[in-house]
DNA sequence: AGCCAGGGTCTGC
DNA sequence: GCAGACCATGGC
C-alpha cells in the first residue's frame, strides 16, 4: 500500500513497511536526530529534512512535489515493495521471524561519499561514538546550512587535509583512511556513482582499493548508497547472530536480497541481544 | 582495569 | 593464504 499526497508544502506518505524508529535506528545511517517523540531531523544530499511520524502516516515537512520525486522518493526507497520481499524471505523459518520483527526497516539510498566515510569511521567503533565523529567532521568541514546544520563535507575539501587537521575530530587511526578515500574519490580514481552500474564483485573490489576499506565497509557502502542489495555486510553482531541462527549459512531464498535480510538479522540481533 | 565497539593494515610465516 | 599484534577513543 502506498499513497502520496501533497498539501501545504508537505508530503504525506501512507506506506507499508516504513517505520521511522526502525529505519533510522538500525545502524545504516548516523545523521538522524530524534528531536521529539514523533519528530526526526536529518541532513542528506545537502538538504535539511524534518520527518514526522503522524498517526498512520509519515510527513516530510517543507518538501515540494518536485523535490519529493527527484530526491526523497528514491532516498527512502519508496518504490520498492518490501511486502513482496518479506514474503520471499519468509520461506525460511528463522528469517520469517527476523523479518517480522524488523519489517518497518527500509534501506536508505544515501550519498555514496558520506556513506563510504561513515563506514570507514565505523570500524572497530560503536554507534554513539561514530555519530559524534561524523557530527564534528560536518561541523568543521561541511557547508553551513543554517540552524546549526551542516552538509557532509565534499571529497575535494577533505582531500586537501592532513592528519593534523583531523586531530580535534578524534577519529583516531581512521584519519589517514578518510584522507585517502577523499583523494581517490575527488581525483576520479574511484568513481562512486559509476559503481552503481558495475556488478557487485567488481564494485566491491574497486572500493577496496581505498586504504581502510575491506569487505565489510565496502558492503555497507554498496548496500546503503549504491543499490547493491546482494551485499551482505558481516560485522561482529552479524557474525555472532549467524553462528546462532544460521550455523549452516544463509538459506537460498535470500538470493538477490542478502542486504535486506542482513538488516532484519542485524536489527533482531542487536535488540534481542543474541 | 580491562573489554568491547557495524574492521582493516601490516608483518611474519 | 592465514594468524596475530596493533591501531585511537570512549563507555561501561
Amino acid at each position: 500500500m502506498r499513497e502520496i499526497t501533497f498539501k501545504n508544502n508537505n508530503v504525506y506518505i501512507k506506506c507499508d513497511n516504513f517505520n521511522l524508529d526502525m529505519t533510522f535506528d538500525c545502524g545504516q545511517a548516523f545523521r538522524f536526530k530524534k528531536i521529539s517523540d514523533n519528530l526526526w531531523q536529518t541532513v542528506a544530499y545537502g538538504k535539511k529534512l524534518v520527518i514526522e511520524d503522524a498517526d498512520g502516516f509519515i510527513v516530510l515537512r517543507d518538501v515540494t512535489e518536485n523535490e519529493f520525486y527527484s530526491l526523497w522518493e528514491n532516498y527512502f526507497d519508496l518504490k520498492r515493495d518490501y511486502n513482496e520481499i518479506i514474503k520471499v524471505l519468509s520461506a525460511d523459518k528463522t528469517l520469517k521471524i527476523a523479518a517480522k520483527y524488523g519489517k518497518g526497516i527500509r534501506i536508505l539510498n544515501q550519498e555514496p561519499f558520506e556513506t563510504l566515510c561513515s563506514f570507514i569511521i565505523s570500524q572497530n567503533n560503536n554507534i554513539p561514538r561514530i555519530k559524534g565523529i561524523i557530527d564534528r567532521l560536518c561541523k568543521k568541514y561541511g557547508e553551513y546550512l543554517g540552524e546549526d546544520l551542516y552538509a557532509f563535507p565534499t571529497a575535494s575539501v577533505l582531500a586537501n587535509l592532513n592528519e593534523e587537521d583531523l586531530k580535534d575530530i578524534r577519529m583516531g587511526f581512521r584519519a589517514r583512511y578518510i584522507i585517502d578515500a577523499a583523494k581517490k574519490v575527488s581525483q576520479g580514481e574511484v568513481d562512486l556513482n559509476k559503481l552503481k552500474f558495475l556488478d557487485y564483485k567488481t564494485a566491491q573490489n574497486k572500493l577496496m582499493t581505498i586504504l581502510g576499506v575491506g569487505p565489510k565497509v565496502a558492503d555497507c557502502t554498496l548496500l546503503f548508497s549504491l543499490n547493491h542489495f546482494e551485499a551482505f555486510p558481516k560485522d561482529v553482531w552479524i557474525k555472532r547472530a549467524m553462528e546462532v541462527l544460521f550455523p549452516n549459512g544463509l538459506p537460498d531464498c535470500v538470493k538477490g536480497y542478502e542486504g535486506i535480510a542482513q538488516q532484519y538479522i542485524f536489527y533482531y540481533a542487536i535488540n534481542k541481544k543474541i
Side-chain angles (χ1 to χ4, degrees):
Chain A
M1 193 261 289
R2 202 194 97 144
E3 278 175 43
I4 317 284
T5 36
F6 304 92
K7 210 171 66 184
N8 303 329
N9 214 32
N10 293 331
V11 183
Y12 299 83
I13 302 167
K14 272 194 178 183
C15 181
D16 288 337
N17 309 101
F18 190 11
N19 178 282
L20 299 187
D21 290 333
M22 289 185 185
T23 300
F24 304 154
D25 246 352
C26 65
Q28 63 174 317
F30 302 99
R31 296 200 70 199
F32 283 87
K33 236 184 225 158
K34 199 163 187 175
I35 52 180
S36 77
D37 193 36
N38 59 345
L39 221 52
W40 290 84
Q41 183 181 72
T42 193
V43 174
Y45 291 89
K47 292 181 185 201
K48 168 195 170 181
L49 182 66
V50 176
I51 312 136
E52 180 185 352
D53 193 355
D55 208 12
F57 53 96
I58 285 161
V59 187
L60 308 184
R61 290 193 183 173
D62 200 23
V63 170
T64 64
E65 181 168 350
N66 183 46
E67 198 186 322
F68 173 77
Y69 285 121
S70 61
L71 177 57
W72 303 116
E73 183 185 36
N74 182 50
Y75 181 79
F76 291 112
D77 205 22
L78 292 174
K79 285 189 233 175
R80 197 177 305 276
D81 185 350
Y82 280 72
N83 270 335
E84 202 52 44
I85 296 167
I86 290 174
K87 211 177 286 175
V88 173
L89 296 179
S90 294
D92 178 83
K93 223 173 80 186
T94 312
L95 267 181
K96 184 175 182 176
I97 295 168
K100 191 172 179 185
Y101 186 75
K103 66 181 177 189
I105 298 172
R106 304 188 80 80
I107 307 287
L108 300 173
N109 276 295
Q110 304 180 67
E111 284 181 84
F113 182 63
E114 171 178 342
T115 310
L116 171 63
C117 291
S118 298
F119 283 96
I120 286 174
I121 291 166
S122 81
Q123 66 177 261
N124 205 26
N125 213 339
N126 57 65
I127 291 176
R129 202 168 83 90
I130 296 164
K131 289 181 179 174
I133 292 169
I134 293 172
D135 268 357
R136 291 190 289 277
L137 186 64
C138 293
K139 203 160 209 162
K140 186 166 179 192
Y141 293 111
E143 186 195 345
Y144 183 57
L145 303 173
E147 301 171 67
D148 201 33
L149 295 171
Y150 297 82
F152 194 87
T154 62
S156 49
V157 166
L158 296 185
N160 288 319
L161 304 180
N162 55 49
E163 289 183 47
E164 200 55 37
D165 296 322
L166 291 169
K167 263 279 186 249
D168 52 345
I169 309 297
R170 307 199 297 280
M171 61 173 73
F173 61 87
R174 306 163 190 88
R176 68 181 181 118
Y177 302 162
I178 292 295
I179 292 167
D180 187 64
K183 284 187 172 147
K184 289 200 166 89
V185 168
S186 68
Q187 289 166 5
E189 207 173 315
V190 176
D191 186 343
L192 291 176
N193 289 316
K194 213 168 116 190
L195 299 183
K196 214 176 274 189
F197 308 106
L198 299 179
D199 67 278
Y200 163 62
K201 267 295 164 195
T202 309
Q204 191 198 38
N205 283 327
K206 191 70 190 173
L207 283 172
M208 284 167 57
T209 62
I210 296 167
L211 189 62
V213 177
K216 198 284 184 173
V217 171
D219 277 348
C220 285
T221 307
L222 291 170
L223 177 59
F224 301 134
S225 71
L226 292 167
N227 259 305
H228 280 282
F229 282 78
E230 63 274 57
F232 188 84
K234 292 189 196 93
D235 67 337
V236 291
W237 291 93
I238 285 291
K239 282 175 188 164
R240 274 199 296 263
M242 289 293 287
E243 280 175 26
V244 179
L245 302 175
F246 302 99
N248 300 317
L250 287 172
D252 291 335
C253 64
V254 304
K255 215 155 200 63
Y257 295 113
E258 288 86 346
I260 296 183
Q262 192 270 5
Q263 279 306 97
Y264 293 145
I265 297 167
F266 180 80
Y267 187 76
Y268 184 77
I270 210 165
N271 285 294
K272 295 275 186 184
K273 303 194 192 312
I274 292 176

